[in-house]
Amino acid sequence: MTDNETDLHKAARIVLPYVGELLDAAAAQKLRAALDAADDDAIVRLAEAAPAVGYWLADYLDATASKLRAYDPLAGDAQPVAPSAVFRCPLGTLVWYRRFVGETPPRCPTHDIDLVRVEDESPVP
């Protein structure tokens, strides 16, 4: 970027490799001529006439704008995520982890009995 190159001119220079996908050959040549002349008004007129280029330039300029971006943390107090509930066959053949609250544990397929919730115990692999 030269000292007198504007942000719009830089964006137009960067879009050049993509103009074949965005524009027909005549419009691409107009963009190259506007860029060579360093004429921002011509670039703006072309962007207005070719919406695909206008959208690309607007997106690029928005993404590269030197504005301060703040971090907004999620609302509420941060809390550790509680581990999911663990259920086990009383005879020890199955360990099942609840994926969401309200999900009903299945019956043990081997013994056809209800699984019991494991309280304050580390999960068994």
Side-chain angles (χ1 to χ4, degrees):
M1 183 166 150
T2 62
D3 292 339
N4 60 354
E5 186 178 49
T6 65
D7 289 340
L8 180 59
H9 191 82
K10 179 181 178 189
R13 183 172 43 82
I14 291 173
V15 77
L16 278 177
Y18 307 102
V19 295
E21 299 169 24
L22 300 172
L23 302 172
D24 59 31
Q29 186 58 36
K30 286 180 186 177
L31 178 62
R32 287 185 181 90
L35 185 60
D36 290 339
D39 184 356
D40 283 355
D41 291 333
I43 294 170
V44 168
R45 283 192 302 274
L46 180 62
E48 290 170 348
V53 172
Y55 295 141
W56 196 100
L57 292 172
D59 286 346
Y60 175 83
L61 292 170
D62 184 50
T64 59
S66 58
K67 57 186 171 189
L68 180 63
R69 294 188 174 132
Y71 169 72
D72 293 324
L74 297 174
D77 294 329
Q79 298 288 330
V81 176
S84 97
V86 179
F87 295 81
R88 176 183 316 197
C89 172
L91 301 176
T93 58
L94 174 72
V95 176
W96 182 82
Y97 298 89
R98 183 169 61 192
R99 294 177 300 199
F100 55 88
V101 174
E103 184 177 21
T104 304
R107 294 178 61 82
C108 175
T110 305
H111 303 106
D112 195 33
I113 56 176
D114 290 332
L115 300 181
V116 294
R117 185 174 179 153
V118 176
E119 300 292 336
D120 298 325
E121 187 178 312
S122 62
V124 175

